[in-house]
Each structure stands twice: as C-alpha cells, then as structure tokens.
Amino acid sequence: MWSAAAAVRTARLAGIADGELSVTLVSDGDDLVIRPRLYESDPESKRLPLKGILGPIGVEVVAATVTDIDPAARTARTVDAAGGVGVLRYDRLVLATGSRVIRPSFPGADLVHDVDTVGAAAALEAHLHRLPGAPEPGRFTAVVIGAGFTGLEIATELVDRLRAIAAPHGRAESVRVVLVDRGETIGSGYAPDARAVIADALTALGVTQRLGVSATAVDEAGVELSDGSRLTARTVVWTAGVRASDLAAHVSDRRDGLGRLAVDEFLRVPDAPGVYAAGDTGAATAEAGNPVTQSCQHAMPMGKFAGHNAVADLLGVPLAAFRPDPYVTCLDLGSAGAVTTRGFERTLNTVGEIAKRRKLAVNEVWIYPPVDDAEELLRQADFRVSARRSV
C-alpha cells in the first residue's frame, strides 16, 4: 500500500500527468489488514478498504492472488476469486507480499490457532466465546507456544480476554495462561533491564512459564510437551516464527534464513532487474549494519522507499538509499502495561502507563493510513516522513 502511494507521489512530483504512468496494486483481499493488531479482540475491525485508501490517488486495485513471477519476461501471473487466470506485465515490480506464520506439523496441528491473518484471528475469537460451553478440565486455560514478540503480546492479552468471557459464569478465577518456549529465557532478544520488566508483567498477570520444552502433539483437551509432561487446555495458540512469502523464491535464489530476498541499499533485487522487495520479503540493512526486522516499523518505510525508487528508476531521477528511523520496539503487556526499548540491543526505554500510551498511539494512529484523503496520503507517502512524525 505504501509502495503504491509513494510511487504516485514521486510520479506527480516529476510532473508526470495522471494516466501517463499507471500504478497497480495486486492483493488477494479487498482490505488493508492492520496485522500488528490481530492479537487484540475484535480482529474483524482491524482492516481498512484498499480502494478507499488508494482510489483517490488513482491506483488500480486488482483483487487476485499472484501465483508466479517471471523476472525475465517482467510478468506476474494471477488468479482471481472465480478462478480466472491473468497475466500482468510490469516495467517495475515491488514485491511486498509479507510473511506467513510457520505452522507446526505435529499431530493435532489443525487444532492449533494463530493470529497471522484476520481469518485466523477471527477463528480464535469465535473459539474463545464458545469456551463457556466447553467441558472441563482446562475450559479457560490457554497455552501459547512461542515466547517471542507475538507470543508475549497474545499471552498477556489473553488473560483479560479470557477473564471477561469467564466472569459471567463465575469462573474468572479459573483463567490460566501458559507460555511455552524451547528457549531457557523469556524475552531473550531483550536487554536484561527490559527482560526484568517483561518477567514482572507475566508474574503480575499470573502467566505460567514452561521453558526449555516444545510441543509435540495437541488434542482437544491439551498439549503434550517434549519432556513427557502434559498441559490440560482447551485453547492452544501458535506464534513460533514467520517466513517470507513463497513468491520470493520466484524472484531470486539469494535469500536469507527467513526466506527474504537480498536487496541493495535502494531495495533493488540485484539479480532480478526491475524488481524491488519491501517489508517482510526484503532483507534490507538498517542502522549499524543490522538487518531489518519483520515488523511494521521497518515494513512501512521500506514500502515508501521501494515505491519511490521504482518510479525514480523508470524516470531517470535520483534513487533514495534506504534509511529507516532508529530501531525501537513497543511491546504490549496487556493490563500490566507495556515496555519500549531502544536500539537493536533492546535496552529499556519506558515502562508502564507511559509505554502503554505509546503502544496505543502506534496501534491506533501511527500505523493507519488516511482513507479518502489523497493529499494526506501522499504527504505521508514521502519516504522522509516517519510514522511518528505523520500524526
């Protein structure tokens, strides 16, 4: 979405008349999903109409799934909801098809929920509201597998979501959330001071930790762990990692361990002329030589830089080297507040209500584009404007 908006902005600044250069966005859905918020309740509300965002600036939105990319022929093959096959030809391509959760393959994996898509998050929401009719034991116990960023956010959020569902039935005190991770430390990617805040929040919320183990099987009544123990639970949520879209493999064999395409400082894929990669499909470099994270903080500016550079390349005007804002994180900890960190060492910045207000600003304001407002959308599409400065 941001690539398309930035492409239009750059073309207009270069004096290109509307209709002289076409920008097309291909999406398998009609909406922009605010994916970072899918750990929250009411996931169906966490999306915006793409045509309402991009229509006012003349971007064509094609509702289809890209099934193949041929960089040599500069074509993308598509299939629409009715099964119709099409071929789109491009002069420049921005691949921004994101990432997908790596689903487990153990027995009972089909019973495991995730919050990777609106559909998956909505299925979890519906399941939670059916729990009052579920049998005991473990009716209001949830096991979250994976203690990374998403795992911590959904685990802390589930405490209050489950209590709100259980309370009318006099069962709020029976709510239990268990966080399972194969690592030995919760928040291992954080500095010690930030890890201490996370640990205190989990304790305050009553989240149980099972570390150094992994799930080996799931059934309707619980989870089997690698140490031979069993957790009784009616809800299991999987958050153990994501991988870049499979379409990246159609573009180049030069990909990192997460499946992301190697790109240069302008987000070009070196061995696929005319192709740029943005968001979770591009392994760009952030400050101090660190690779970008698969997060909205890096995906949004990557989109803007890629869209600008794709058009700049076409028009023969200067390209812009990718330069994101200094890296920060803002981790939601449910009713225990939040924690923000600075730098790739993730050292502690703010905690509690101060951090919570910032998290709400991120979730409810900063990552939302304007709808039906061409002027403001193009202003924010400037790669020099960060999400934080665009409020």
Side-chain angles (χ1 to χ4, degrees):
M1 184 279 296
W2 282 119
S3 289
V8 171
R9 177 184 182 278
T10 298
R12 290 187 180 182
L13 288 177
I16 303 301
D18 289 348
E20 189 176 345
L21 183 149
S22 64
V23 178
T24 302
L25 179 80
V26 185
S27 175
D28 58 3
D30 296 327
D31 299 319
L32 172 71
V33 176
I34 310 301
R35 192 183 184 198
R37 298 193 67 186
L38 294 183
Y39 69 95
E40 300 179 56
S41 61
D42 192 18
E44 291 284 359
S45 68
K46 310 302 190 292
R47 52 187 180 180
L48 300 171
L50 278 170
K51 290 184 178 179
I53 301 168
L54 296 173
I57 61 172
V59 173
E60 180 185 7
V61 178
V62 174
T65 299
V66 174
T67 58
D68 185 48
I69 298 170
D70 185 342
R74 301 202 178 199
T75 60
R77 188 173 296 275
T78 66
V79 59
D80 61 26
V85 175
V87 175
L88 295 173
R89 302 186 181 280
Y90 64 84
D91 294 299
R92 297 294 183 272
L93 172 73
V94 177
L95 184 66
T97 42
S99 59
R100 299 291 182 269
V101 68
I102 304 170
R103 291 282 303 180
S105 57
F106 50 62
D110 58 314
L111 299 172
V112 174
H113 294 274
D114 65 65
V115 290
D116 194 51
T117 64
V118 166
L124 173 60
E125 178 96 333
H127 166 82
L128 295 178
H129 284 281
R130 289 194 298 268
L131 289 175
E136 290 287 9
R139 187 195 319 185
F140 294 111
T141 296
V143 174
V144 176
I145 304 171
F149 198 96
T150 302
L152 288 167
E153 291 202 322
I154 187 65
T156 52
E157 177 81 5
L158 276 175
V159 173
D160 288 327
R161 285 173 70 178
L162 284 170
R163 285 175 181 167
I165 292 168
H169 305 275
R171 299 300 306 278
E173 295 304 316
S174 69
V175 167
R176 184 182 181 216
V177 175
V178 184
L179 192 56
V180 174
D181 196 272
R182 68 179 63 182
E184 298 291 344
T185 306
I186 291 290
S188 59
Y190 288 84
D193 51 3
R195 285 204 306 271
V197 174
I198 295 169
D200 288 346
L202 295 176
T203 299
L205 292 170
V207 175
T208 303
Q209 302 172 35
R210 289 296 308 275
L211 305 178
V213 293
S214 56
T216 57
V218 170
D219 57 43
E220 292 183 350
V223 182
E224 301 288 342
L225 299 178
S226 56
D227 64 356
S229 63
R230 178 178 173 83
L231 296 171
T232 301
R234 296 291 170 180
T235 303
V236 182
V237 183
W238 178 267
T239 69
V242 296
R243 184 172 177 80
S245 163
D246 291 342
L247 283 174
H250 294 231
V251 173
S252 172
D253 292 330
R254 294 179 57 194
R255 302 186 304 280
D256 69 3
L258 297 173
R260 302 182 299 181
L261 289 161
V263 294
D264 65 14
E265 63 178 332
F266 303 110
L267 305 184
R268 296 177 296 197
V269 180
D271 51 354
V275 179
Y276 295 75
D280 287 2
T281 56
T285 301
E287 70 267 25
N290 290 287
V292 294
T293 59
Q294 290 177 304
S295 69
C296 61
Q297 182 188 346
H298 286 139
M300 291 169 65
M302 286 178 76
K304 297 175 187 181
F305 276 88
H308 165 80
N309 286 338
V311 172
D313 188 18
L314 270 175
L315 302 180
V317 301
L319 277 63
F322 176 61
R323 295 290 185 270
D325 287 340
Y327 180 56
V328 298
T329 71
C330 193
L331 178 70
D332 199 348
L333 295 171
S335 57
V339 58
T340 70
T341 68
R342 292 175 293 187
F344 279 86
E345 299 79 13
R346 294 186 179 181
T347 56
L348 188 64
N349 184 23
T350 63
V351 300
E353 285 304 312
I354 295 175
K356 190 73 169 184
R357 287 196 296 270
R358 182 179 181 85
K359 182 65 176 182
L360 290 174
V362 170
N363 277 10
E364 298 177 5
V365 181
W366 294 349
I367 61 177
Y368 276 76
V371 179
D372 295 321
D373 190 340
E375 182 179 352
E376 179 60 15
L377 180 67
L378 293 177
R379 186 189 75 82
Q380 292 187 30
D382 185 346
F383 60 82
R384 295 165 296 185
V385 175
S386 75
R388 282 170 281 178
R389 291 194 296 268
S390 66
V391 180

